[in-house]
Amino acid sequence: MKTLFTHPFRRQYHWGYLAVGCTLLVSYALWLGSMWYYQDWYENPWKYMAKVGSHSATLLMCWAFILATRFRPVEVLFGGLDKVYKSHRYIGEIAFFLIFLHPLGLALMHASEGGSFWAYLWFSGDWVRNTGIIALAGFALLVVLSIYVKIRYHRWKRTHDFFGLLLLLIIVHGIMAKGEIVAYPLLGLWFALWCGLGLAAYVYIRLLYRWLGPQYDHVVDEVRQVGDAVVELYLKPQGRAMVHEPGQFVYISLDANAVSREPHPFSISSAPDSPRLRLSIKQLGDWTQSVHAIQAGEQARVWGPYGHFSETIVQGSCRQRLIFLGGGIGITPFLSMLASERMRKAPYACWMIYSVADAQRAVYSEELRTACAQRDDWHCIQHLSDEEGFINADYLQQHLGSLNDCTFYICGPQVMMDSVSNLLLDAGVPIEHIISEDFDIR
Ligand SMILES: Cc1cc2nc3c(=O)[nH]c(=O)nc-3n(C[C@H](O)[C@H](O)[C@H](O)COP(=O)(O)OP(=O)(O)OC[C@H]3O[C@@H](n4cnc5c(N)ncnc54)[C@H](O)[C@@H]3O)c2cc1C
């Protein structure tokens, strides 16, 4: 299981964390600055630990809500919506660990003043403390369900609804405690702003996004089965058409008999200038298993486009050679990228490595070969892992030679993305030239 500890920050390369870090520093500065201004220092040093925990955790929790909104500025800050969701998870996880400093610090303070450490952590006649205990227990339960227990996606999403209530409870607890957030005007204003933003973000994504989010109506034009387990949905826009970059993705919700309306994310596998939007869907779970039964003429709504996968190509900030590495259904963003006019005109040589278990699953081989035939300096390589083993450093060196002039784009199963990213980092490829798109945003 991926956690904060097995997924180090070195893989992330975003300004977002800097922004989060800066807001934490501002919080500490306002808090300590106010204490200095009013000369109101704590007598018991354990209280500092308790307050660092509560201030940091509350702020990070508000950030976690903001990160769930799918707002464009947030996407830009964190380098794509898939990264935003990963960061949302890490930041929530850090908030969860930090919040324990609060009861721990207060209980230690209580114990150092002659009280009982354990009794402080249990219910009493003190409702400030009781709301804190309830909030902590709720937080622990929700985090365990969200991160450490593998439950079905729609149940997982439902448990997320309760985080809004949790933030409310934390706010109530903070107000009842009448601590420095209530006492110091600047600090109070700062936290009121963040808690307001956090709550507004929650209301937006849970209630308003379906109406206010960037959305486009489509009608299903064609449903095509390709191979055993991939279904292509072709959608025709109704009204204004969505403008997107190659390699971006959308959330789709269908008004169809075969599947529920639950929105699911899929990369756009058609060219940006194509009159029809194509989604290539691997049938692997309860919702995707039924997509083959969707009928032409049924209505679809897409939200988006999201993602920054091809941003560096569009901006022209790559090295001379682009290496596209698509594993299984992770090939979809590359189909769109290779079919785009922009990519055709870009000053880059390109190596497309399509990695699948066996030839039967290589359903997009022909399309990729045709796309790569558009330019002499585009090459298509098919990698069959059942025969050739997983992609390793030797394999890349053998097919690509030196990696010093390459920018890598990777999309596929998490194990593949992790192992290839690591071997590229070990081979000295700078992290900014290893760009990945993550299909698992939980
Ligand atoms: C940015 C992005 C692009 C993607 N592009 C493609 C693509 O081009 N082709 C493709 O086949 N798949 C793609 N996926 C994966 C696809 O969204 C999931 O496979 C699909 O939603 C699984 O649904 P299910 O109910 O059938 O499977 P389940 O077995 O219920 O779920 C499998 C996993 O998929 C994820 N998932 C399930 N439902 C949702 C949902 N409503 N929203 C978000 N995640 C969910 C969860 O992590 C879950 O553990 C993409 C995912 C992301 C995040």
Side-chain angles (χ1 to χ4, degrees):
M1 187 193 298
K2 284 168 275 131
T3 71
L4 180 65
F5 303 109
T6 55
H7 212 290
F9 282 131
R10 71 183 181 132
R11 304 239 174 83
Q12 313 289 343
Y13 200 75
H14 313 306
W15 290 102
Y17 288 108
L18 189 67
V20 174
C22 287
T23 54
L24 279 175
L25 288 180
V26 171
S27 278
Y28 300 145
L30 286 175
W31 167 46
L32 295 173
S34 302
M35 294 185 92
W36 170 79
Y37 183 78
Y38 293 104
Q39 281 304 301
D40 189 17
W41 303 102
Y42 303 140
E43 280 168 19
N44 194 312
W46 289 117
K47 204 166 177 186
Y48 287 97
M49 169 175 151
K51 295 297 173 174
V52 166
S54 59
H55 290 185
S56 319
T58 308
L59 200 82
L60 291 181
M61 212 176 149
C62 294
W63 262 109
F65 280 107
I66 293 166
L67 261 54
T69 53
R70 300 179 192 164
F71 272 142
R72 300 254 185 257
V74 176
E75 233 199 318
V76 171
L77 210 56
F78 283 82
L81 196 63
D82 56 325
K83 316 290 182 300
V84 171
Y85 276 115
K86 288 279 144 154
S87 309
H88 161 84
R89 178 193 160 137
Y90 296 145
I91 286 170
E93 217 175 344
I94 297 170
F96 175 60
F97 289 121
L98 283 173
I99 197 69
F100 281 98
L101 292 180
H102 185 62
L104 205 67
L106 291 179
L108 284 167
M109 181 178 98
H110 192 62
S112 72
E113 289 164 1
S116 158
F117 176 85
W118 294 109
Y120 190 85
L121 297 172
W122 194 242
F123 293 101
S124 63
D126 177 357
W127 273 96
V128 177
R129 220 190 314 160
N130 291 349
T131 50
I133 294 171
I134 295 168
L136 187 70
F139 202 174
L141 181 71
L142 290 177
V143 167
V144 167
L145 285 176
S146 299
I147 299 179
Y148 302 109
V149 181
K150 198 84 188 151
I151 51 174
R152 298 193 86 116
Y153 182 83
H154 60 275
R155 291 210 183 109
W156 172 86
K157 209 167 168 198
R158 206 148 295 149
T159 61
H160 257 59
D161 289 344
F162 290 96
F163 275 106
L165 276 183
L166 186 68
L167 182 59
L168 264 181
L169 197 60
I170 289 173
I171 294 170
V172 169
H173 173 72
I175 294 171
M176 282 169 74
K178 295 198 181 88
E180 51 286 310
I181 290 179
V182 175
Y184 306 146
L186 267 184
L187 188 68
L189 209 65
W190 174 252
F191 270 96
L193 173 78
W194 280 96
C195 290
L197 279 175
L199 283 176
Y202 173 81
V203 171
Y204 172 75
I205 196 65
R206 286 288 174 234
L207 303 173
L208 305 177
Y209 176 81
R210 74 192 70 164
W211 293 293
L212 302 182
Q215 57 198 276
Y216 300 85
D217 286 329
H218 287 74
V219 63
V220 178
D221 192 41
E222 192 185 345
V223 182
R224 205 184 281 173
Q225 180 90 39
V226 286
D228 285 345
V230 178
V231 170
E232 292 180 336
L233 285 188
Y234 289 85
L235 308 170
K236 260 200 326 212
Q238 287 194 309
R240 74 202 165 109
M242 184 178 70
V243 177
H244 66 94
E245 296 293 348
Q248 286 196 295
F249 68 94
V250 291
Y251 279 83
I252 181 169
S253 166
L254 282 132
D255 187 4
N257 289 326
V259 292
S260 74
R261 284 171 186 245
E262 182 184 55
H264 282 252
F266 294 102
S267 296
I268 301 162
S269 62
S270 48
D273 49 8
S274 167
R276 298 194 299 177
L277 205 66
R278 179 181 67 174
L279 306 179
S280 305
I281 301 176
K282 174 97 181 270
Q283 297 182 276
L284 48 75
D286 49 1
W287 193 89
T288 48
Q289 282 296 354
S290 310
V291 290
H292 63 277
I294 292 167
Q295 300 292 315
E298 289 181 316
Q299 296 294 311
R301 179 163 289 176
V302 300
W303 285 263
Y306 293 111
H308 285 217
F309 197 37
S310 66
E311 188 181 42
T312 40
I313 304 175
V314 173
Q315 287 172 345
S317 57
C318 306
R319 288 160 149 191
Q320 282 153 294
R321 292 195 291 160
L322 308 181
I323 314 301
F324 291 172
L325 240 155
I329 198 63
I331 197 65
T332 49
F334 300 115
L335 294 170
S336 161
M337 285 153 79
L338 288 171
S340 81
E341 181 76 15
R342 216 175 203 156
M343 179 67 199
R344 238 184 337 265
K345 290 185 177 154
Y348 300 116
C350 178
W351 270 251
M352 173 73 245
I353 304 177
Y354 182 26
S355 179
V356 279
D358 52 55
Q360 228 189 334
R361 291 181 218 208
V363 291
Y364 285 112
S365 276
E366 209 37 59
E367 183 171 329
L368 290 172
R369 250 178 242 128
T370 310
C372 288
Q374 295 175 98
R375 267 176 60 163
D376 292 343
D377 57 353
W378 285 9
H379 312 272
C380 186
I381 303 167
Q382 184 168 289
H383 169 261
L384 304 178
S385 59
D386 280 357
E387 287 172 23
E388 302 172 81
F390 292 128
I391 290 174
N392 55 27
D394 287 344
Y395 180 91
L396 292 180
Q397 229 112 49
Q398 188 190 329
H399 285 88
L400 306 172
S402 163
L403 308 182
N404 291 340
D405 60 346
C406 301
T407 298
F408 288 83
Y409 294 80
I410 313 168
C411 184
Q414 193 69 51
V415 276
M416 176 191 125
M417 295 206 295
D418 285 348
S419 81
V420 174
S421 304
N422 281 335
L423 73 87
L424 292 175
L425 287 170
D426 291 344
V429 179
I431 194 161
E432 63 270 31
H433 289 290
I434 306 170
I435 296 152
S436 59
E437 179 84 335
D438 208 329
F439 276 11
D440 184 6
I441 48 177
R442 252 224 249 195

